[in-house]
Short mmCIF file of all heavy atoms in Angstrom, two decimals:
data_model
loop_
_atom_site.label_atom_id
_atom_site.label_comp_id
_atom_site.label_asym_id
_atom_site.label_seq_id
_atom_site.Cartn_x
_atom_site.Cartn_y
_atom_site.Cartn_z
N GLU Q 446 -16.99 -5.05 31.70
CA GLU Q 446 -17.96 -4.56 32.66
C GLU Q 446 -17.88 -5.36 33.97
O GLU Q 446 -18.06 -4.80 35.05
CB GLU Q 446 -19.36 -4.66 32.05
CG GLU Q 446 -19.59 -3.66 30.91
CD GLU Q 446 -20.92 -3.88 30.22
OE1 GLU Q 446 -21.52 -4.98 30.43
OE2 GLU Q 446 -21.36 -2.99 29.47
N ALA Q 447 -17.61 -6.65 33.85
CA ALA Q 447 -17.45 -7.47 35.06
C ALA Q 447 -16.25 -7.01 35.87
O ALA Q 447 -16.31 -6.92 37.11
CB ALA Q 447 -17.30 -8.94 34.67
N ALA Q 448 -15.14 -6.69 35.19
CA ALA Q 448 -13.96 -6.19 35.89
C ALA Q 448 -14.25 -4.85 36.54
O ALA Q 448 -13.78 -4.56 37.65
CB ALA Q 448 -12.79 -6.08 34.91
N GLN Q 449 -15.04 -4.00 35.88
CA GLN Q 449 -15.38 -2.70 36.43
C GLN Q 449 -16.24 -2.86 37.69
O GLN Q 449 -16.04 -2.15 38.69
CB GLN Q 449 -16.12 -1.86 35.39
CG GLN Q 449 -16.40 -0.43 35.83
CD GLN Q 449 -17.04 0.38 34.72
OE1 GLN Q 449 -17.46 -0.17 33.71
NE2 GLN Q 449 -17.11 1.68 34.90
N MET Q 450 -17.17 -3.79 37.65
CA MET Q 450 -18.02 -4.05 38.82
C MET Q 450 -17.21 -4.60 39.99
O MET Q 450 -17.55 -4.40 41.16
CB MET Q 450 -19.14 -5.02 38.46
CG MET Q 450 -20.17 -4.45 37.48
SD MET Q 450 -21.43 -5.65 37.05
CE MET Q 450 -22.18 -5.96 38.66
N ALA Q 451 -16.11 -5.29 39.66
CA ALA Q 451 -15.24 -5.83 40.71
C ALA Q 451 -14.31 -4.76 41.29
O ALA Q 451 -13.51 -5.05 42.18
CB ALA Q 451 -14.42 -6.99 40.16
N GLY Q 452 -14.40 -3.53 40.77
CA GLY Q 452 -13.62 -2.43 41.32
C GLY Q 452 -12.35 -2.09 40.57
O GLY Q 452 -11.58 -1.24 41.03
N ALA Q 453 -12.12 -2.73 39.43
CA ALA Q 453 -10.90 -2.45 38.66
C ALA Q 453 -11.00 -1.09 38.00
O ALA Q 453 -12.03 -0.75 37.39
CB ALA Q 453 -10.69 -3.53 37.61
N GLY Q 454 -9.94 -0.29 38.11
CA GLY Q 454 -9.90 1.01 37.47
C GLY Q 454 -9.68 0.89 35.97
O GLY Q 454 -9.44 -0.19 35.42
N PHE Q 455 -9.72 2.07 35.30
CA PHE Q 455 -9.63 2.06 33.84
C PHE Q 455 -8.31 1.45 33.36
O PHE Q 455 -8.30 0.58 32.49
CB PHE Q 455 -9.77 3.49 33.30
CG PHE Q 455 -9.40 3.62 31.86
CD1 PHE Q 455 -10.24 3.16 30.87
CD2 PHE Q 455 -8.18 4.20 31.49
CE1 PHE Q 455 -9.89 3.27 29.53
CE2 PHE Q 455 -7.83 4.31 30.16
CZ PHE Q 455 -8.69 3.85 29.18
N VAL Q 456 -7.20 1.91 33.90
CA VAL Q 456 -5.90 1.42 33.45
C VAL Q 456 -5.78 -0.08 33.69
O VAL Q 456 -5.30 -0.82 32.82
CB VAL Q 456 -4.76 2.19 34.15
CG1 VAL Q 456 -3.41 1.59 33.78
CG2 VAL Q 456 -4.81 3.67 33.79
N ARG Q 457 -6.23 -0.51 34.85
CA ARG Q 457 -6.13 -1.94 35.15
C ARG Q 457 -7.02 -2.77 34.22
O ARG Q 457 -6.65 -3.86 33.80
CB ARG Q 457 -6.53 -2.19 36.61
CG ARG Q 457 -6.29 -3.63 37.05
CD ARG Q 457 -6.59 -3.82 38.52
NE ARG Q 457 -6.34 -5.20 38.94
CZ ARG Q 457 -6.59 -5.67 40.15
NH1 ARG Q 457 -7.09 -4.84 41.09
NH2 ARG Q 457 -6.37 -6.93 40.43
N ARG Q 458 -8.20 -2.24 33.87
CA ARG Q 458 -9.09 -2.98 32.96
C ARG Q 458 -8.47 -3.11 31.58
O ARG Q 458 -8.55 -4.16 30.94
CB ARG Q 458 -10.45 -2.27 32.85
CG ARG Q 458 -11.24 -2.24 34.14
CD ARG Q 458 -12.72 -1.94 33.87
NE ARG Q 458 -12.94 -0.74 33.07
CZ ARG Q 458 -13.07 0.48 33.57
NH1 ARG Q 458 -12.94 0.66 34.89
NH2 ARG Q 458 -13.30 1.50 32.78
N VAL Q 459 -7.85 -2.04 31.13
CA VAL Q 459 -7.21 -2.09 29.81
C VAL Q 459 -6.04 -3.07 29.82
O VAL Q 459 -5.88 -3.88 28.90
CB VAL Q 459 -6.75 -0.68 29.38
CG1 VAL Q 459 -5.89 -0.76 28.12
CG2 VAL Q 459 -7.95 0.22 29.14
N LEU Q 460 -5.22 -3.00 30.87
CA LEU Q 460 -4.02 -3.83 30.92
C LEU Q 460 -4.32 -5.30 31.19
O LEU Q 460 -3.64 -6.19 30.66
CB LEU Q 460 -3.06 -3.30 31.99
CG LEU Q 460 -2.44 -1.92 31.71
CD1 LEU Q 460 -1.54 -1.50 32.87
CD2 LEU Q 460 -1.63 -1.95 30.42
N THR Q 461 -5.34 -5.59 31.98
CA THR Q 461 -5.58 -6.98 32.40
C THR Q 461 -6.72 -7.66 31.64
O THR Q 461 -6.81 -8.88 31.64
CB THR Q 461 -5.88 -7.04 33.90
OG1 THR Q 461 -7.07 -6.28 34.18
CG2 THR Q 461 -4.72 -6.50 34.71
#
Side-chain angles (χ1 to χ4, degrees):
E446 290 173 345
Q449 186 176 11
M450 292 178 62
F455 168 74
V456 174
R457 187 175 181 184
R458 295 199 307 272
V459 171
L460 293 178
T461 61

